[in-house]
Amino acid sequence: MKVSRRAVLTGATAVAGVLASDTEGAAATTAAAVKPRRIATEEAWSFPEHLDELARIGQALWSNLDAENINLEGSASSNRIVRGLLDVERRLAEMDRLGVDMQVLGLTSPGVQMFRPALAVSMAARANDRLAAIVAAHPRRFAGLATFAPQDPRAAVREMESAIKTLRLNGFILNSHTGGEYLDQEKFWPILEAANELGAPIYLHPRCPSDGLSAPFGDRRIQSAIWGFAVETGTHAMRLIVSGVFDRFPRLQFVLGHMGENLPYHLWRSDHWFERRRDAYPSKRKPSEVMRSNFMITNSGVEHAPALRYAIDVLGHDRVMWAIDYPYEEMPPAVRFLDSLGLSEVERHAFLHGNAERTFALRGD
Amino acid sequence: MKVSRRAVLTGATAVAGVLASDTEGAAATTAAAVKPRRIATEEAWSFPEHLDELARIGQALWSNLDAENINLEGSASSNRIVRGLLDVERRLAEMDRLGVDMQVLGLTSPGVQMFRPALAVSMAARANDRLAAIVAAHPRRFAGLATFAPQDPRAAVREMESAIKTLRLNGFILNSHTGGEYLDQEKFWPILEAANELGAPIYLHPRCPSDGLSAPFGDRRIQSAIWGFAVETGTHAMRLIVSGVFDRFPRLQFVLGHMGENLPYHLWRSDHWFERRRDAYPSKRKPSEVMRSNFMITNSGVEHAPALRYAIDVLGHDRVMWAIDYPYEEMPPAVRFLDSLGLSEVERHAFLHGNAERTFALRGD
């Protein structure tokens, strides 16, 4: 999976001048003087050993939507995506060219969550070490979300503490279910407790619907970004919301991508039926109250101004952050989208950097 | 399940004057002279034999979310709801009191879709005869959506033709999956072909997630209106959209309730990944094109002005209709919601009656 530097540069005609300065991006600094700092908050990253293990899963004749997806990715647009996941210099060059000041990196989905516990635990540690090294090399350009293995909750807690206290990473990323189990289940509460005490958010990233949620997706190929990701991840978030874990762990913050995985659009109805059936749900607060105090959302993969306007109106401008979803989405359209927003100055600063700085405890520029 | 007239009147202090005229609602006619006609488009109805058969299903020790829901409903708010489903005079009196000109009635979910084929076929015929009689008794106040049994597609087609050509009903209602199967599957194409040729819409109403989509809902009680209904019905609609059935049956119209079961909010992302993976999907047109030509939505159960504004902006004002979801939702808040809309005159007329008149081929007032 080695990517040649020559291949990376081919066709990137505008990059040469910026690459001359290379590390901290002089061009981007100039841009930041007139524009709000631009921090993209759901940016995927990987390393060869991780992609190799995922590829092995994709070899299995296994009736599982994520395994199928790994196979599909392997045959389709993979070259561009693999290069985007692996090549830090290429990523930096494009960030420079487009005035993207910082990316918040997270190990690409499904992270370590499809591996047996021992492999998952060791792979998470290795991923976090690698990620910390990337951030250390470019501290003004990258922040990092640590991964952990819910397959072994005690090991997960140790890894989480190390990732924040020792490696100085900025939060966590989790790819929805693990083996069909969801974070609101009591066996995972030590993980929620750790995030709460560390004051570090968990980005609840999509993966395909779990096996018990999977039947109507595969034959129509709607299991991933076109629809199934949002079903899986939105359902996971709704479980957390009604479960009462935020009464128990009140500082706990989750981040949802893709404009909130449909929850914001459904929020009035969710509130309405929560109120009617309060005795069915442990949570003391209704879904909109939980979302407005314990959830952030990002627009990753959704460059649609009406949806952004709706989300800010319903959740508040302090709850919505910018994201690209690189390399699954390309940087240029994500940056062009910023020109069409029609936000107020306050909303724009919150969306582009203020909320991310607060949520991920980032240093100012 | 007999409901006494005395019980119905108790507490309805403002009703007396209107009940004096009783049938066609003089008060409503007066109101219509100054206000747009108000047609509510997802209004549930039932009859005792149907509710009795559903109650029997609820008696079974059966791991199925709809069966659990029938049990829950049986113990909770059922008296008010059962009375609302059965009592036409009570419904009319409240419509009069609140200035609701017409309701489009459909057999309450899950209709006949949980019965064995023979019972489903006979129950559908009985339901449609009863419904046609209600409409015939109050032709300016009620329209009707016929039910059919997808368990037996040939019988379903016969029933559909009879319901439109003989009984003069106004369309169809289907409660999402039938035994875990979805309408885009080829065995159901005769049903789609019949609706297409009859020029009659199918209201795709929710039920709980199908067994293969059910795992993460029951233990957290999120299988119904709080979240699961939209997962089930939105997934069904997305299957239809990508399947190409609208290329084959171009006049076919579906109606989605609950502000579109999350599809409108996800539409940009669905389009984006449909375009990227065009070879994966039979449909010639992207999701937004299909939605804007073959789907109507209603605001049933969603009295949230920002969501309505978003839906009209994204789908067009000729695609969104008013609904109450009576008796699961109460009429007064649904009518009060109309005062807070902030729509243009054109949008308001389309939302309150114009779109419904066109979609369901209703007579003008």
Side-chain angles (χ1 to χ4, degrees):
Chain A
M1 302 228 185
K2 194 163 175 300
V3 178
S4 86
R5 181 63 177 265
R6 185 173 306 277
V8 170
L9 292 176
T10 302
T13 51
V15 167
V18 174
L19 276 180
S21 72
D22 212 339
T23 53
E24 296 299 319
T29 307
T30 310
V34 291
K35 282 184 277 203
R37 195 179 178 207
R38 292 171 173 175
I39 302 175
T41 56
E42 187 201 305
E43 312 312 316
W45 157 85
S46 188
F47 56 105
E49 297 92 318
H50 177 243
L51 292 185
D52 288 348
E53 290 291 349
L54 286 183
R56 281 186 194 119
I57 287 173
Q59 291 299 316
L61 186 64
W62 181 16
S63 173
N64 172 273
L65 293 177
D66 277 306
E68 280 173 30
N69 245 37
I70 290 167
N71 268 321
L72 294 175
E73 294 291 341
S75 63
S77 51
S78 76
N79 280 348
R80 183 183 64 78
I81 286 176
V82 167
R83 194 194 295 168
L85 290 169
L86 297 177
D87 188 336
V88 174
E89 294 304 320
R90 175 190 167 85
R91 185 192 301 258
L92 268 176
E94 191 155 6
M95 290 166 63
D96 288 343
R97 183 167 70 87
L98 296 165
V100 176
D101 297 277
M102 179 178 264
Q103 288 195 352
V104 181
L105 302 176
L107 186 64
T108 195
S109 183
V112 303
Q113 290 165 255
M114 289 182 78
F115 305 137
R116 288 194 173 277
L119 175 58
V121 169
S122 65
M123 186 70 80
R126 190 183 300 191
N128 295 335
D129 288 344
R130 300 280 180 97
L131 182 54
I134 293 171
V135 172
H138 307 279
R140 297 171 64 202
R141 310 306 302 283
F142 294 121
L145 302 180
T147 192
F148 57 82
Q151 295 93 320
D152 182 339
R154 287 158 54 98
V157 168
R158 284 195 299 275
E159 186 62 38
M160 291 170 79
E161 289 172 347
S162 157
I164 301 299
K165 293 180 179 169
T166 308
L167 299 178
R168 301 282 169 192
L169 292 172
N170 305 83
F172 307 103
I173 187 163
L174 188 81
N175 304 288
S176 199
H177 80 90
T178 305
E181 295 186 307
Y182 292 87
L183 271 188
D184 55 286
Q185 295 175 236
E186 196 165 344
K187 65 186 282 187
F188 298 123
W189 286 4
I191 290 169
L192 302 182
E193 184 177 23
N196 185 63
E197 292 186 359
L198 293 163
I202 300 175
Y203 203 118
L204 195 69
H205 186 280
R207 60 183 290 196
C208 289
S210 60
D211 289 349
L213 185 71
S214 65
F217 294 93
D219 62 329
R220 284 291 175 212
R221 299 274 296 272
I222 56 172
Q223 66 263 47
S224 55
I226 192 170
W227 184 247
F229 282 172
V231 168
E232 164 65 27
T233 318
T235 299
H236 195 160
M238 187 58 74
R239 289 181 60 98
L240 286 160
I241 285 170
V242 302
S243 72
V245 295
F246 299 102
D247 299 318
R248 182 174 292 263
F249 308 114
R251 293 176 64 205
L252 188 56
Q253 293 289 320
F254 276 88
V255 185
L256 294 175
H258 314 99
M259 214 61 102
E261 311 293 6
N262 287 336
L263 266 67
Y265 191 64
H266 202 271
L267 202 52
W268 190 94
R269 184 158 160 85
S270 295
D271 271 4
H272 183 65
W273 284 91
F274 177 90
E275 295 276 21
R276 280 208 181 165
R277 305 250 164 100
R278 271 210 179 251
D279 60 340
Y281 305 110
S283 175
K284 293 185 181 137
R285 293 175 302 152
K286 60 185 180 181
S288 65
E289 291 170 322
V290 174
M291 280 212 76
R292 291 184 190 122
S293 57
N294 297 95
F295 278 82
M296 304 291 297
I297 75 167
T298 82
N299 79 312
S300 56
V302 182
E303 284 146 19
H304 189 211
L308 178 64
R309 182 72 264 163
Y310 174 89
I312 290 175
D313 287 346
V314 168
L315 299 180
H317 71 261
D318 54 344
R319 290 277 151 198
V320 187
M321 302 188 282
W322 184 52
I324 299 170
D325 209 352
Y326 181 85
Y328 299 102
E329 304 292 344
E330 313 249 15
M331 290 192 215
V335 169
R336 278 198 302 274
F337 175 60
L338 302 179
D339 298 330
S340 69
L341 293 186
L343 301 180
S344 74
E345 274 306 289
V346 167
E347 289 169 340
R348 193 176 182 83
H349 277 272
F351 178 62
L352 279 171
H353 65 97
N355 293 338
E357 288 160 356
R358 185 183 78 248
T359 301
F360 300 112
L362 306 175
R363 315 189 295 190
D365 187 38
Chain B
M1 300 228 185
K2 193 162 177 299
V3 178
S4 86
R5 179 65 175 263
R6 185 173 305 276
V8 169
L9 291 176
T10 302
T13 51
V15 167
V18 174
L19 276 182
S21 72
D22 211 340
T23 52
E24 296 298 321
T29 306
T30 310
V34 292
K35 281 184 278 204
R37 195 179 178 207
R38 292 169 173 176
I39 302 175
T41 56
E42 188 201 305
E43 311 314 317
W45 158 86
S46 187
F47 57 104
E49 297 92 318
H50 177 243
L51 292 184
D52 288 349
E53 290 291 349
L54 287 182
R56 281 184 195 123
I57 287 174
Q59 292 299 316
L61 186 64
W62 180 17
S63 171
N64 172 273
L65 293 177
D66 278 304
E68 281 174 30
N69 245 37
I70 290 167
N71 268 323
L72 294 174
E73 294 291 340
S75 63
S77 51
S78 77
N79 280 348
R80 184 183 62 76
I81 286 176
V82 167
R83 194 194 295 167
L85 290 170
L86 297 177
D87 189 335
V88 174
E89 294 305 319
R90 174 190 167 87
R91 185 192 300 258
L92 267 176
E94 192 155 5
M95 289 166 63
D96 288 342
R97 182 167 72 85
L98 296 165
V100 176
D101 297 277
M102 178 179 264
Q103 288 195 351
V104 181
L105 302 177
L107 185 64
T108 196
S109 184
V112 302
Q113 291 165 251
M114 289 182 77
F115 304 137
R116 286 194 175 277
L119 175 58
V121 169
S122 64
M123 186 72 79
R126 190 183 301 189
N128 295 336
D129 288 344
R130 300 279 180 98
L131 183 54
I134 294 171
V135 172
H138 308 279
R140 296 172 63 202
R141 310 306 302 283
F142 295 122
L145 302 180
T147 193
F148 57 84
Q151 295 93 320
D152 182 342
R154 286 160 54 100
V157 168
R158 282 195 300 275
E159 186 61 38
M160 292 170 79
E161 289 173 348
S162 156
I164 301 300
K165 292 181 179 168
T166 307
L167 299 179
R168 301 281 167 192
L169 291 172
N170 305 83
F172 307 103
I173 186 162
L174 187 81
N175 303 288
S176 200
H177 80 90
T178 304
E181 295 186 305
Y182 291 86
L183 271 189
D184 54 286
Q185 295 175 237
E186 196 165 343
K187 67 187 279 189
F188 298 124
W189 286 4
I191 289 169
L192 302 182
E193 184 177 21
N196 184 63
E197 291 186 0
L198 292 164
I202 300 175
Y203 203 119
L204 194 69
H205 186 281
R207 59 184 290 196
C208 288
S210 59
D211 288 349
L213 185 71
S214 66
F217 294 94
D219 62 330
R220 284 289 175 215
R221 299 273 295 270
I222 55 172
Q223 66 264 46
S224 54
I226 192 170
W227 184 248
F229 282 172
V231 168
E232 165 64 26
T233 318
T235 299
H236 195 160
M238 187 58 74
R239 289 181 59 98
L240 286 161
I241 285 169
V242 302
S243 73
V245 295
F246 300 102
D247 299 317
R248 183 174 291 263
F249 307 114
R251 293 176 64 205
L252 189 56
Q253 293 288 321
F254 276 87
V255 185
L256 294 174
H258 315 101
M259 214 62 99
E261 311 293 5
N262 288 335
L263 266 67
Y265 192 65
H266 202 272
L267 202 52
W268 190 95
R269 184 158 159 85
S270 295
D271 270 3
H272 184 64
W273 285 89
F274 177 89
E275 295 275 20
R276 279 207 182 167
R277 305 250 164 101
R278 271 211 180 248
D279 60 340
Y281 305 111
S283 174
K284 292 186 181 138
R285 292 175 304 152
K286 61 185 180 180
S288 65
E289 290 171 320
V290 174
M291 282 212 74
R292 291 184 191 123
S293 56
N294 297 96
F295 278 82
M296 303 291 298
I297 74 167
T298 82
N299 79 313
S300 56
V302 182
E303 285 146 19
H304 188 212
L308 178 63
R309 182 72 262 163
Y310 174 88
I312 290 175
D313 287 345
V314 168
L315 299 180
H317 70 260
D318 54 344
R319 291 276 150 198
V320 188
M321 302 188 282
W322 184 53
I324 300 170
D325 210 353
Y326 181 84
Y328 299 100
E329 304 292 343
E330 314 249 14
M331 289 191 218
V335 169
R336 277 198 303 275
F337 175 60
L338 302 180
D339 298 330
S340 69
L341 292 186
L343 302 181
S344 73
E345 274 307 288
V346 168
E347 290 168 340
R348 194 176 182 82
H349 278 271
F351 178 62
L352 280 170
H353 64 98
N355 293 338
E357 288 160 355
R358 185 183 75 245
T359 300
F360 300 112
L362 306 176
R363 314 188 299 187
D365 188 37

